Amino acid sequence: MLTILPAIDIKTLYLPESIPYCENFESYGNNSIPEKWYSLSTTTNSSYANFKVSTSESHTTNKSLRYECRSNNQLLSILPQIGEDSINGLSISLYLKTTNDYGYMEFGYMENPHDFGSFVPVKRLTNTNSEWQRFIISMQDAPTDVRYMAIRAVSTSSSRYYAYIDDIYITNCGANSFEVLNISSNSVTFDWIQIGNPTITIEYGS
């Protein structure tokens, strides 16, 4: 007896990444695609929309993730599933550098990770000064049934648009960039970027 099984999408076979999730792309070869990442685009011609690990630019050490788009095409790079449950409540820190203004980048989530049109932008990553810039994105308002985040590169010209992403760090919402400042014999200043509405407790004693 012959049994015909339904097609299996191999992307669903990957186990979710644990939290916190860190990625600096150093473990991958030049021109490779990071493990568990995949892409959707508005063109079948990869020379018009692609992403891959690159040694051309890096925020730290030697590599980053390079995005290339042109001729008004768009590219979505879908991140691995982070955690067992919804992305709701996660906080994302990343660094971006662009080398021209022929497009822009957006960070958001996928209501359906296999449908380009289901991408929902959460934050536009504006960077036009050719310097590395840090962005922090909160998924506090993401639907509770969504499990995939994505980065969208959008070309607005026939010329090539290049952007680089590096040092991605994903954790639960709370305090980011915590710093201790102005320490004296009887006082200290704490500074942080608050994401969401967490309860933050600072304990002290002698």
Side-chain angles (χ1 to χ4, degrees):
M1 176 178 171
L2 177 64
T3 301
I4 300 177
L5 299 175
I8 299 176
D9 188 334
I10 61 171
K11 294 188 285 293
T12 64
L13 301 180
Y14 286 125
L15 294 175
E17 293 290 324
S18 59
I19 301 172
Y21 171 79
C22 304
E23 182 60 81
N24 62 7
F25 309 105
E26 293 302 310
S27 63
Y28 301 103
N30 195 34
N31 297 321
S32 65
I33 303 297
E35 186 179 17
K36 302 184 183 181
W37 292 58
Y38 66 100
S39 65
L40 300 171
S41 71
T42 55
T43 176
T44 57
N45 188 338
S46 62
S47 67
Y48 283 75
N50 65 82
F51 79 111
K52 56 191 174 183
V53 175
S54 172
T55 56
S56 299
E57 300 280 353
S58 64
H59 176 251
T60 56
T61 56
N62 301 309
K63 299 173 184 175
S64 65
L65 193 61
R66 187 186 79 170
Y67 292 76
E68 177 186 348
C69 271
R70 62 181 173 125
S71 301
N72 300 298
N73 281 293
Q74 299 182 23
L75 172 74
L76 280 171
S77 62
I78 294 88
L79 280 69
Q81 181 181 337
I82 310 297
E84 297 284 347
D85 302 311
S86 168
I87 64 171
N88 178 276
L90 294 183
S91 167
I92 301 91
S93 169
L94 58 81
Y95 286 84
L96 168 70
K97 179 178 181 179
T98 57
T99 58
N100 57 53
D101 58 357
Y102 299 139
Y104 59 89
M105 303 287 282
E106 291 179 321
F107 196 99
Y109 58 82
M110 304 292 293
E111 293 181 331
N112 177 351
H114 310 297
D115 178 9
F116 189 98
S118 75
F119 175 77
V120 177
V122 172
K123 185 170 186 175
R124 180 176 290 199
L125 311 180
T126 302
N127 177 305
T128 58
N129 60 4
S130 298
E131 299 291 339
W132 285 102
Q133 182 177 347
R134 187 187 184 197
F135 292 88
I136 296 176
I137 306 103
S138 170
M139 288 293 162
Q140 183 185 16
D141 296 326
T144 55
D145 60 344
V146 170
R147 297 190 175 188
Y148 288 91
M149 294 173 284
I151 300 170
R152 177 162 66 177
V154 179
S155 164
T156 57
S157 167
S158 60
S159 300
R160 295 180 186 271
Y161 171 63
Y162 292 106
Y164 300 84
I165 296 286
D166 203 0
D167 294 332
I168 298 174
Y169 182 75
I170 300 175
T171 187
N172 292 307
C173 279
N176 254 307
S177 299
F178 192 90
E179 292 183 282
V180 180
L181 308 169
N182 304 324
I183 300 173
S184 70
S185 60
N186 57 8
S187 68
V188 65
T189 300
F190 298 102
D191 186 40
W192 63 83
I193 299 172
Q194 182 167 310
I195 297 181
N197 296 296
T199 298
I200 299 175
T201 302
I202 298 175
E203 298 182 355
Y204 65 94
S206 57

